[in-house]
Amino acid sequence: AEHLDNPTRPLWLLENSRTAEIINQHRSPETPRPANAEPLQSVLLTFLDNSDWQLRGLYDAELSRQQLLPALISKCLLGLICALLPLLALASMRKRQRALQEGRRRYQDIFEGTGVALCVLDLSGLINTLERLRLRGQDQLEHRLLLDRSLRNTLLQELKVTEVNQVALQLLGVECRNGAWQRLIAGDTHNEGIGLQLVEAVLNNQHQLELEVRLSGADGQELHLWLTVRFPEQRADYQAVTLSISDITSRKQVELSLLERESFWSNVVRTVPDQLYVQDVQNQRMIFSNRHLGQTL
């Protein structure tokens, strides 16, 4: 009986098999069961040899539930936490994605709505190529270009056009960024392109490059464009270099018209037989004379 009274042993009853009289039972110091508790269940009945006694094994379902409930709750909480972690990670990922999309949308609105022709260049590959070729200056570049005719194409391929806004596409008369690269960087039979000038600017560590180019328009007229490239201070930022394009065709035509008109009237004045002088009296400087006085004398 002392062996069976061990708290770790199952509940039991020792009964008289004929009279069902309880002779002994489990005496472990357990908390008294409530009056409305669920009755104990009989799970085993064993007759004892050479006697009228029988040993009945009992099962306390309510006690088992009470013992298993904390562990079950802990496992449920652990399972819930494990299930929530991917959801939290997914929610955080979606939040970052929405923030990225919002930033991208704002950038695109500014990029497209600024009204200025803009291109974004990726020059990071050019930096690596120049370091690999150990080119340190414009003189070395020109010398290597004379020795290796394929070097020009190799360098131009590293000048990548990653983005072009709609204003630039319309101005250049192309439909995609590859067309913009061909028109601006590589050039054609009528235009050499600005590829090598960009390479030279990178080699010389210039902060800004400004130059004028002439392109043939779709209607056969010449386009005069003013290009401005601002280089980042850090080489790590060369993957996004901004190129702005301004159409100066009208201004160029006005300048050429003024030059032609000035040349015309200058020729007219030179044919006048009188001696004509235009002098800046304030600065005591001769601005124009139709012929040299010594020749006249």
Side-chain angles (χ1 to χ4, degrees):
E2 293 180 0
H3 181 67
L4 292 176
D5 282 340
N6 192 312
T8 60
R9 296 293 179 178
L11 300 177
W12 55 272
L13 286 177
L14 185 61
E15 304 174 331
N16 189 315
S17 60
R18 294 183 178 181
T19 63
E21 178 185 358
I22 299 176
I23 301 172
N24 201 350
Q25 62 182 350
H26 190 273
R27 293 193 183 90
S28 60
E30 299 287 347
T31 303
R33 304 180 76 252
N36 58 351
E38 183 180 347
L40 299 178
Q41 301 178 14
S42 176
V43 295
L44 176 67
L45 184 61
T46 301
F47 295 95
L48 302 180
D49 297 339
N50 302 321
S51 70
D52 295 334
W53 293 357
Q54 61 184 13
L55 181 66
R56 183 183 300 275
L58 301 176
Y59 173 69
D60 191 342
E62 185 173 351
L63 178 61
S64 298
R65 283 194 293 269
Q66 293 177 357
Q67 293 174 346
L68 294 176
L69 187 60
L72 182 60
I73 293 176
S74 300
K75 290 182 179 179
C76 290
L77 290 176
L78 181 61
L80 181 61
I81 292 174
C82 293
L84 287 177
L85 285 177
L87 295 178
L88 293 175
L90 181 60
S92 178
M93 186 182 301
R94 288 181 176 177
K95 183 178 180 181
R96 290 195 299 268
Q97 186 177 8
R98 285 195 297 268
L100 182 63
Q101 290 176 349
E102 180 66 18
R104 177 66 180 177
R105 184 189 64 79
R106 292 179 181 177
Y107 164 78
Q108 195 66 27
D109 290 344
I110 296 174
F111 188 68
E112 292 292 345
T114 185
V116 178
L118 295 174
C119 300
V120 178
L121 308 177
D122 182 0
L123 306 181
S124 57
L126 175 65
I127 300 297
N128 298 330
T129 302
L130 294 177
E131 292 179 354
R132 178 173 54 84
L133 297 175
R134 298 181 179 179
L135 292 174
R136 295 293 183 267
Q138 183 175 348
D139 294 338
Q140 291 186 10
L141 174 63
E142 294 176 355
H143 180 68
R144 292 287 293 273
L145 288 173
L146 292 175
L147 297 178
D148 186 0
R149 295 183 177 180
S150 64
L151 179 59
R152 180 181 184 274
N153 185 57
T154 300
L155 295 175
L156 294 184
Q157 293 298 326
E158 299 298 338
L159 303 173
K160 297 179 175 60
V161 178
T162 57
E163 296 183 67
V164 184
N165 66 356
Q166 194 63 33
V167 180
L169 292 177
Q170 294 176 356
L171 182 60
L172 297 174
V174 296
E175 297 180 355
C176 60
R177 60 186 183 184
N178 291 333
W181 179 88
Q182 187 65 44
R183 287 275 277 174
L184 288 177
I185 307 300
D188 49 33
T189 55
H190 305 288
N191 171 40
E192 294 183 356
I194 65 169
L196 290 182
Q197 290 167 294
L198 280 172
V199 175
E200 293 173 359
V202 173
L203 279 174
N204 297 329
N205 294 319
Q206 293 182 216
H207 298 293
Q208 183 169 310
L209 174 65
E210 294 182 331
L211 65 160
E212 179 185 342
V213 297
R214 291 187 303 173
L215 301 177
S216 57
D219 54 357
Q221 300 293 327
E222 272 194 344
L223 286 175
H224 294 266
L225 305 179
W226 185 260
L227 309 182
T228 303
V229 183
R230 294 178 175 85
F231 298 97
E233 295 182 0
Q234 304 294 331
R235 289 297 178 98
D237 298 330
Y238 269 58
Q239 60 184 358
V241 179
T242 304
L243 165 65
S244 61
I245 309 173
S246 301
D247 186 1
I248 59 172
T249 303
S250 298
R251 188 179 72 184
K252 199 69 177 179
Q253 289 175 349
V254 171
E255 291 177 357
L256 293 176
S257 177
L258 290 176
L259 289 175
E260 291 177 356
R261 183 176 300 178
E262 181 180 348
S263 176
F264 170 77
W265 287 112
S266 176
N267 293 332
V268 171
V269 171
R270 291 181 189 280
T271 61
V272 176
D274 298 330
Q275 190 78 28
L276 297 178
Y277 293 95
V278 178
Q279 185 175 7
D280 185 352
V281 179
Q282 183 176 0
N283 297 321
Q284 296 296 318
R285 184 171 62 90
M286 184 68 66
I287 298 176
F288 174 79
S289 65
N290 61 344
R291 61 175 58 84
H292 196 274
L293 181 59
Q295 295 177 353
T296 303
L297 294 176

